[in-house]
Amino acid sequence: MSQERFGGSLRSLMLGCCVLLSACGAPEEVASPLLSADPIDGLRQALLDVAPGGLVEIPEGRFELDRSLTLSVSGVTLRGAGQNRSVLAFDQQRSGAEGLLVTADDVTLQGFAIENARGDAIKVSGCRNIVMRDLRAEWTGGPSPDNGAYGLYPVQCEGVLIGDSVAIGASDAGIYVGQSTDIVVRRNRAAYNVAGIEIENSMRADVYANVVVHNTGGILVFDLPGLPMQGGREVRVFRNLVTSNNTPNFAPEGNIVATVPSGTGILVSANRDVEIFANVLDDHGTAAVMVMSYLITGRPFDDPDYDPYPERIHVHGNDFGRSGHEPDAEPLAMIRAGIGRDLPPLIWDGFTRDSDSPVLCAQDNSAAESINLDAPGGFAAPQFAADAFDCSLASLPGVSEAGAGVAVPWE
Amino acid sequence: MSAKGAARVTRTPLLLLLACLLLACAPASEPWPLSEPLPARLSELGLLLQQGGELRVQDGFVYTLGHPLFSDYASKHRSVHLPPGGRAERVSGADSMAALAFPPGTLITKTFLYPVPAQGLVGLTNVAMETGERAGLALAGLRLLETRVLRHAVSGWEAVSYLWDEAGREAWRADAGALLALVTEDGVAFDYLVPDRNQCAACHGTGRQQRVLMPIGPKPANLAAVRVSEQEQQYARWQAAGWVMDQDEVVAWPAQPDARAYLDVNCAHCHNGDGSAANAGLDLRYSSERPWELGVCKPPVAAGRGAGGLRVGIWPGRPEASILHYRLAHRDPAVMMPELGRSLVDEQALGLIAAWIEELQGDCTHAGMF
């Protein structure tokens, strides 16, 4: 139905009435008074009406929204004019726990920004093959516990590509991939979040060529108890620039990231088979790389399937700049005061168990020294060594041939 | 952009148009074809009629629930319209706490309404509903907001909401939903959400991907918690009338407010181990027995600000230290639970949940390094 057809002249009105009178059996021609020319109403309706495989475009401009957008049609591309050109602003959001919620397969989100969502910026739940490219999720007021939790947030997805995007100011993780498999996170910039990039309870992830600066913790690889998907493993973190992640932790207490000390470059907790290589890490007050058991959080867990110990963490060929000069954790600060110099770049909490596999192997990094905190012994006898983890592990296959720039298969 | 296709219709011609449409097409006498998309106007479905100042149902019956979903104190008029000869059934192998299975052709309506104590205000007191085939609801002094329709079409259930015009004469299909600014009789402003079609699936969608919609309200245990007469509870009347084919015993939920029934109705459509919130690891169904899955001493997973500086979902004996209680007490969209469908606090339920947590046994004391 066009504007011209019901444009207000009596003649066209009469005509319309006649058409409708004769069309009572086919009343989809009836105009609802809810129809509107507002571009966001149009976008909202387009996201509902788009056919599978279709394209929905977000115009250039800044648009204010007061409630969440939703997309549940598979194969759709939602595309704006660029992460700084098409801006969906949620400063006045009054309803919905996220800016955009996607519950569909084979969706591509590209070229737009979500600003100041009350909760998460973009959540993609239970999907296959989500591509997020040239997006920006930002809380524009800087770090604050009042900011939303996650910026770019696929959870329980098979096939995730997050690339060339920006996440700023999340009070949990800027880029957070949870309970997912086959993941590529590359060429993104994460800044001023509590966690820059977090891979949690996920399998097969490549995190590379990202710039991760001024977060509380740069890149986190976690495995947590009590979740449907267990056994996080096979995560490669390589060729990232991870510097100056010293922002004071502003996460609301109770969340696991609230326990992350400020000044942490890369933190591995309770994962298996993590390969951390060829990263540049510099200026971290607590540590360049920390490898922890879940036990150090002191949190209870009731999950017979959960393994709280990290295993086969391979740290090699990294460039460690300065770290350990201002540790943001009481036991570490005391150890540093005791030795009167910066802590080593590589820190392990010391929780261990009988296993044929090493917890950690560290080779060919720019600095060799590490510390075993002796957390199980109450930090009474921390051990410093240059060769404590002198072992080798096979390289992981990886999700994509990233070095050659080959795309992931479904990209 | 579809905005180009959206017509801007000026008001006066629209009213004329409406009048001519109503003359031309109402009342609907034939059932709306199952093969057709749901119509633009609710009246075309022929399910709800306004006769003599009352809302009545056609080819269906009105029911209520002992433990309703909280929706900003809106009162709800609910009806089921079975196809000729059709009956509901208990889901095979399911207990009386799973929603009934309704045959293809079934329509279910839920009309949200408020009393209007003064011009422009809404009252929060519950409007009592008669039940059954001949139930009537006197519309004087009421404001109808929206009617949500669930239809069991050939390809499965579909859901859409119809938004009533201010005069309460017609309701229009509102796939994209709406936010309505309302003010209570006490002067409290709040945003009433008419869900968009996808948001219907946020509650009615089963499984993590919310692909398949199902009714969630009509559970035998909840229907049976209502007495329709001195002698008879509601579900027994359904059985006697042949609306449901079910010879099994029904364990009714308590007739009085009950914390576990409240959690089931208000939370468990997402928090059930396989729902859209499965990633949180909670199971708040009435049948859930493991304290951890109810949130006892369980740290939050992805709660963000919803954690409120608290460490566990439920701290037995300490509602003020329990995230569950905290999120029910809040109105901020990033903090509150449920995420959708309310922007006011259910004060009575908050007290109910607090009292329940007070009674629980256990201790979550623990310490960590950081």
Side-chain angles (χ1 to χ4, degrees):
Chain A
M1 184 164 67
S2 70
Q3 187 166 347
E4 290 73 31
R5 185 165 165 194
F6 294 108
S9 84
L10 190 59
R11 186 165 166 274
S12 65
L13 177 65
M14 294 298 287
L15 179 65
C17 209
C18 290
V19 167
L20 290 161
L21 279 169
S22 63
C24 283
E28 58 269 30
E29 288 296 317
V30 174
S32 161
L34 302 174
L35 289 178
S36 141
D38 178 84
I40 290 307
D41 289 347
L43 174 62
R44 200 179 288 287
Q45 191 70 42
L47 289 174
L48 292 166
D49 294 343
V50 63
L55 169 69
V56 176
E57 289 189 287
I58 306 172
E60 185 166 348
R62 183 184 166 85
F63 304 97
E64 297 277 350
L65 290 88
D66 59 5
R67 58 191 169 107
S68 303
L69 290 170
T70 58
L71 170 63
S72 67
V73 182
S74 288
V76 166
T77 295
L78 174 59
R79 190 174 69 195
Q83 61 168 262
N84 293 313
R85 291 174 174 273
S86 295
V87 179
L88 304 176
F90 286 84
D91 306 65
Q92 305 302 319
Q93 184 173 14
R94 291 176 290 154
S95 172
E98 54 282 305
L100 168 65
L101 175 64
V102 177
T103 50
D105 297 334
D106 302 305
V107 165
T108 296
L109 308 175
Q110 181 173 339
F112 60 92
I114 301 269
E115 288 184 359
N116 301 326
R118 294 295 301 164
D120 308 318
I122 301 178
K123 181 176 180 181
V124 183
S125 183
C127 73
R128 287 175 53 84
N129 298 351
I130 176 74
V131 176
M132 305 167 94
R133 184 190 282 136
D134 184 26
L135 299 176
R136 179 167 57 88
E138 180 168 3
W139 285 268
T140 57
S144 162
D146 291 334
N147 292 350
Y150 301 116
L152 306 177
Y153 175 23
V155 61
Q156 296 187 325
C157 288
E158 301 170 16
V160 174
L161 172 63
I162 303 176
D164 305 299
S165 295
V166 172
I168 297 172
S171 68
D172 197 300
I175 295 172
Y176 171 97
V177 183
Q179 303 179 57
S180 295
T181 56
D182 299 294
I183 299 146
V184 174
V185 178
R186 67 181 182 204
R187 302 194 306 252
N188 303 287
R189 179 166 178 269
Y192 296 104
N193 308 285
V194 174
I197 297 170
E198 181 172 355
I199 308 293
E200 185 177 286
N201 290 58
S202 290
M203 278 184 282
R204 296 185 299 279
D206 275 357
V207 180
Y208 67 92
N210 300 284
V211 176
V212 185
V213 296
H214 296 303
N215 305 282
T216 299
I219 300 175
L220 276 46
V221 183
F222 275 22
D223 209 39
L224 300 180
L227 303 182
M229 181 162 156
Q230 289 293 330
R233 61 179 182 273
E234 292 176 52
V235 177
R236 303 197 307 166
V237 178
F238 57 101
R239 294 215 304 268
N240 299 286
L241 178 63
V242 184
T243 65
S244 302
N245 291 291
N246 298 313
T247 295
N249 195 317
F250 59 97
E253 201 192 334
N255 292 284
I256 186 76
V257 294
T259 67
V260 173
S262 162
T264 301
I266 296 173
L267 174 54
V268 177
S269 176
N271 252 255
R272 276 140 298 284
D273 300 304
V274 179
E275 187 173 4
I276 300 169
F277 61 99
N279 300 286
V280 174
L281 297 115
D282 192 18
D283 183 28
H284 292 108
T286 299
V289 175
M290 279 207 282
V291 178
M292 299 281 153
S293 161
Y294 187 76
L295 300 176
I296 197 154
T297 66
R299 291 169 167 234
F301 60 94
D302 172 25
D303 184 344
D305 299 327
Y306 181 65
D307 179 355
Y309 297 93
E311 210 164 43
R312 297 184 300 276
I313 313 302
H314 192 190
V315 182
H316 62 95
N318 297 286
D319 186 345
F320 293 145
R322 191 181 185 201
S323 65
H325 44 284
E326 198 176 345
D328 174 39
E330 191 59 34
L332 295 182
M334 291 188 61
I335 293 169
R336 191 197 176 284
I339 61 174
R341 61 182 173 88
D342 294 351
L343 297 176
L346 182 58
I347 293 180
W348 174 49
D349 63 5
F351 283 99
T352 187
R353 57 156 175 207
D354 286 338
S355 170
D356 294 334
S357 302
V359 174
L360 175 60
C361 289
Q363 292 177 315
D364 305 324
N365 299 298
S366 65
E369 195 185 24
S370 65
I371 177 172
N372 169 353
L373 293 177
D374 186 31
F379 308 96
Q383 299 159 34
F384 297 81
D387 57 356
F389 306 108
D390 186 13
C391 53
S392 184
L393 289 162
S395 289
L396 298 174
V399 179
S400 66
E401 294 295 329
V406 173
V408 288
W410 39 267
E411 188 183 348
Chain B
M1 284 300 301
S2 79
K4 288 173 188 158
R8 184 190 290 280
V9 182
T10 53
R11 184 158 285 277
T12 310
L14 180 71
L15 289 175
L16 287 169
L17 256 178
L18 263 177
C20 95
L21 280 170
L22 290 172
L23 285 171
C25 301
S29 50
E30 298 284 310
W32 188 257
L34 207 55
S35 55
E36 289 289 318
L38 285 164
R41 294 173 299 145
L42 182 64
S43 62
E44 293 172 284
L45 281 171
L47 304 175
L48 303 178
L49 305 176
Q50 296 189 31
Q51 290 174 341
E54 289 195 328
L55 188 68
R56 295 189 171 273
V57 296
Q58 179 154 299
D59 301 327
F61 53 91
V62 178
Y63 69 100
T64 66
L65 296 173
H67 305 271
L69 176 79
F70 176 75
S71 307
D72 284 338
Y73 298 97
S75 295
K76 298 173 187 178
H77 174 278
R78 304 174 181 83
S79 66
V80 169
H81 307 260
L82 295 164
R87 293 175 169 195
E89 288 179 48
R90 211 185 286 194
V91 178
S92 172
D95 57 30
S96 52
M97 297 173 208
L100 293 168
F102 294 89
T106 303
L107 289 111
I108 300 177
T109 77
K110 182 156 72 164
T111 300
F112 293 66
L113 54 99
Y114 287 99
V116 180
Q119 181 76 25
L121 303 180
V122 298
L124 305 187
T125 46
N126 190 50
V127 177
M129 297 291 160
E130 293 179 7
T131 60
E133 293 163 283
R134 280 174 292 280
L137 172 65
L139 290 168
L142 299 181
R143 177 175 172 189
L144 306 179
L145 284 187
E146 56 160 334
T147 295
R148 301 182 190 170
V149 174
L150 272 174
R151 181 172 74 162
H152 196 174
V154 180
S155 56
W157 287 92
E158 55 196 0
V160 75
S161 187
Y162 289 80
L163 191 58
W164 287 89
D165 59 30
E166 295 217 358
R169 280 207 286 269
E170 180 61 278
W172 296 83
R173 184 170 161 158
D175 292 52
L179 261 189
L180 306 179
L182 301 182
V183 181
T184 72
E185 54 198 314
D186 298 323
V188 178
F190 66 102
D191 298 301
Y192 178 95
L193 177 73
V194 178
D196 74 32
R197 224 168 55 212
N198 292 334
Q199 287 171 328
C200 294
C203 294
H204 286 275
T206 53
R208 287 173 205 174
Q209 301 198 329
Q210 308 169 2
R211 296 288 199 280
V212 179
L213 304 194
M214 296 287 282
I216 48 180
K219 299 169 181 172
N222 203 355
L223 292 164
V226 177
R227 297 205 79 78
V228 290
S229 70
E230 294 256 330
Q231 296 80 23
E232 200 177 23
Q233 52 91 336
Q234 179 175 235
Y235 193 66
R237 178 174 291 182
W238 282 40
Q239 290 172 304
W243 296 333
V244 60
M245 196 160 52
D246 180 5
Q247 312 304 326
D248 294 340
E249 190 190 353
V250 171
V251 181
W253 283 343
Q256 299 305 313
D258 178 88
R260 288 299 302 273
Y262 187 87
L263 294 176
D264 183 290
V265 169
N266 285 272
C267 316
H269 42 269
C270 294
H271 290 292
N272 61 33
D274 191 37
S276 60
N279 62 309
L282 282 179
D283 184 351
L284 296 177
R285 285 177 293 183
Y286 197 94
S287 55
S288 174
E289 287 176 350
R290 289 183 64 209
W292 178 270
E293 289 180 347
L294 288 168
V296 174
C297 296
K298 179 182 174 303
V301 173
R305 286 200 286 130
L310 306 175
R311 289 166 169 267
V312 294
I314 293 172
W315 193 311
R318 295 184 58 200
E320 78 286 356
S322 301
I323 293 169
L324 178 75
H325 184 265
Y326 177 80
R327 301 191 82 164
L328 287 174
H330 261 265
R331 295 182 60 187
D332 183 332
V335 171
M336 69 179 194
M337 282 288 161
E339 289 182 343
L340 294 175
R342 75 166 179 90
S343 68
L344 294 173
V345 175
D346 187 349
E347 297 290 352
Q348 188 194 11
L350 197 62
L352 185 70
I353 297 298
W356 174 67
I357 294 175
E358 291 275 7
E359 299 281 307
L360 292 174
Q361 301 295 312
D363 180 20
C364 308
T365 307
H366 58 278
M369 163 185 163
F370 295 127

